[in-house]
Amino acid sequence: MAQFRLNGSKMLAVDLAGETIKALNGAMVAYDGQMSFKRQGMTGGEGLRGALKRRIAGEGMTLMEVSGQGTVFLASEATEVTLVRLNGDTLFVESESLLALDAGLRTGVHFVGLRGMGTGQGLATTKVEGSGTAAIVSDGPAIALEVSPSEPLCVDPHAYVGHLGQLQQDVVTDVNWRTVLGQGSGESVQFRYQGHGLVYVQPAERGGILEI
Amino acid sequence: MSTPTFTAATLPSNDNVNPYAFSVDLNGRWFAQKGKMIAYYGRIRFEALSAGPLDALVAASFHSPLYAQDWIVAEGQGKLLLADRGFDVNSFDLDEGNLTIRAGNLLAFEPGLELKQSIIPGFLTLIGTGRFVAASNGPVHFVEPPIRVDPQALLGWADCPSPCHHYDHSYMRGVLGAARMVFGVGGTSGEEHQFDFTGEGTVLMQSSEAVMSDDVMLRDLEGQIGMVGTSGLQRLQQSISQRLSAERQ
């Protein structure tokens, strides 16, 4: 297994002994040993159908395959790196938040429908399945918030990074005539999570298409 | 190292989660700046200040029509997480005190505090007893007057008299200085204007000069137009059109 570890909070180090990992295209900042970097083909390892779905969803993602002997250092625009270990779970994350993953993990597109509108996220999100480690990046250190059936969680769509586990996601809206007049609360749209799992949030807010 | 995981019970109560996020243990009402909530557990509602049931609260604690549209009231019970652009977030307690802070950096405050507009444009003053949360780009430094600080690095001040402007003398000297006074152009070091603090108290500074790029300053100026008479307005119009034509060249 490739060893994922943090080298400081903003850089990921992966020790490889002949294995292959997938990483965000262009995220390599340094390596020692023998490494080869190969851009993934047109389909990004998701098959023709998967690539088509990704194209339709506009959930663009370019990954490269890194393999070799030694240590490779990965980073993306000084964003904070969080390691997520998957044991047959499914991680939902925005494609731009994905830094690297074990070769054993499969990626795919998950359609989320209209809830992505207005949050700058588009209609789809990326799904990571399997067993292994994934590294995600966030603007400021990510905070993991646990959700249990007795404790649902609401999240600002702009601060959402990803979620993991058996979670049901719905959109809570509190839009009233004041929102229309521009006198809204500024927190009129939230994601609510119910079930069992973890939600990752970041201490900064992305700009959305719609300000509501 | 793994990411710390929190539940509603293990989130800190009115304390920082990490240097960039603050957890409010809400039981009642808090004022918060719009858009700074990142997540919450429990039953919490967010209301604009214009909402009817909040009238008494707003009348008692919020005295700034200029900023009313930037603020909301969080109401209910639960844990509320606040953060701002990945800036450092800190909470401060006031005990029958007063503190003035840059408007864009104040994230939230308890209704025990009263919010008023400061004489200095773009700053808000909190008076009373209670806790508030503020953001700063980099850690906060506490310094004591007498001191001159860069306007952009100034976060706020407590207990001391409001600052006055300080300009370097050389800024006004010679031909270039005269040209600057008329046209506002010419080579400068960018450090000829400071805020000058004197007296007893504490001055709060952030460790960078990044301030929220918003139109607070502009709105403040607009708010003051009401105090200007007709002749003053004409003069303003003149200087504005002069500046505009200088910009176009």
Side-chain angles (χ1 to χ4, degrees), chain B residues 25-71:
Chain B
D25 192 353
L26 191 69
N27 190 359
R29 288 160 164 175
W30 268 65
F31 284 92
Q33 206 185 124
K34 234 182 225 184
K36 305 302 180 199
M37 179 278 282
I38 55 168
Y40 67 87
Y41 286 106
R43 286 196 319 275
I44 299 180
R45 284 175 56 79
F46 300 92
E47 290 281 5
L49 294 190
S50 55
L54 297 175
D55 271 353
L57 177 73
V58 172
S61 303
F62 201 95
H63 307 283
S64 172
L66 200 56
Y67 294 97
Q69 64 187 80
D70 295 339
W71 285 79

Side-chain angles (χ1 to χ4, degrees), chain B residues 40-144:
Chain B
Y40 67 87
Y41 286 106
R43 286 196 319 275
I44 299 180
R45 284 175 56 79
F46 300 92
E47 290 281 5
L49 294 190
S50 55
L54 297 175
D55 271 353
L57 177 73
V58 172
S61 303
F62 201 95
H63 307 283
S64 172
L66 200 56
Y67 294 97
Q69 64 187 80
D70 295 339
W71 285 79
I72 53 170
V73 171
E75 192 175 16
Q77 286 191 323
K79 291 275 177 72
L80 173 66
L81 282 183
L82 299 169
D84 181 23
R85 296 162 286 163
F87 278 22
D88 284 52
V89 175
N90 284 296
S91 68
F92 303 89
D93 285 310
L94 275 184
D95 185 16
E96 290 299 319
N98 74 83
L99 183 135
T100 305
I101 187 162
R102 187 178 290 281
N105 289 61
L106 183 62
L107 293 192
F109 64 93
E110 270 180 333
L113 293 165
E114 267 183 73
L115 182 93
K116 301 188 180 196
Q117 266 167 248
S118 167
I119 288 281
I120 307 283
F123 284 80
L124 293 169
T125 302
L126 291 166
I127 302 171
T129 303
R131 178 166 285 202
F132 67 94
V133 184
S136 63
N137 193 354
V140 180
H141 300 279
F142 297 89
V143 287
E144 278 180 17

Side-chain angles (χ1 to χ4, degrees), chain A residues 6 82 141-146 151-156 159 174 178 182-187 190 198 200-205, chain B residues 1 3-8 18 20-21 34-41 46-48 50-52 72 81 83-86:
Chain A
L6 291 179
T82 302
I143 300 167
L145 296 169
E146 216 171 292
E151 277 173 350
L153 173 76
C154 292
V155 172
D156 186 326
D174 182 18
R178 284 199 188 85
Q183 292 273 299
S185 62
E187 312 286 9
Q190 296 142 15
L198 272 185
Y200 291 92
V201 294
Q202 63 180 20
E205 298 174 320
Chain B
M1 195 191 98
T3 311
T5 303
F6 296 97
T7 64
N18 63 30
Y20 314 101
K34 234 182 225 184
K36 305 302 180 199
M37 179 278 282
I38 55 168
Y40 67 87
Y41 286 106
F46 300 92
E47 290 281 5
S50 55
I72 53 170
L81 282 183
D84 181 23
R85 296 162 286 163

Side-chain angles (χ1 to χ4, degrees), chain A residues 21-57:
Chain A
I21 59 158
K22 284 181 265 190
L24 179 73
N25 216 9
M28 186 275 287
V29 288
Y31 69 89
D32 67 41
Q34 289 291 318
M35 290 285 163
S36 70
F37 301 89
K38 193 179 112 208
R39 187 182 159 152
Q40 281 202 325
M42 289 290 287
T43 59
E46 291 175 2
L48 200 57
R49 199 158 149 259
L52 200 63
K53 255 169 98 178
R54 196 165 276 287
R55 175 61 68 86
I56 292 168

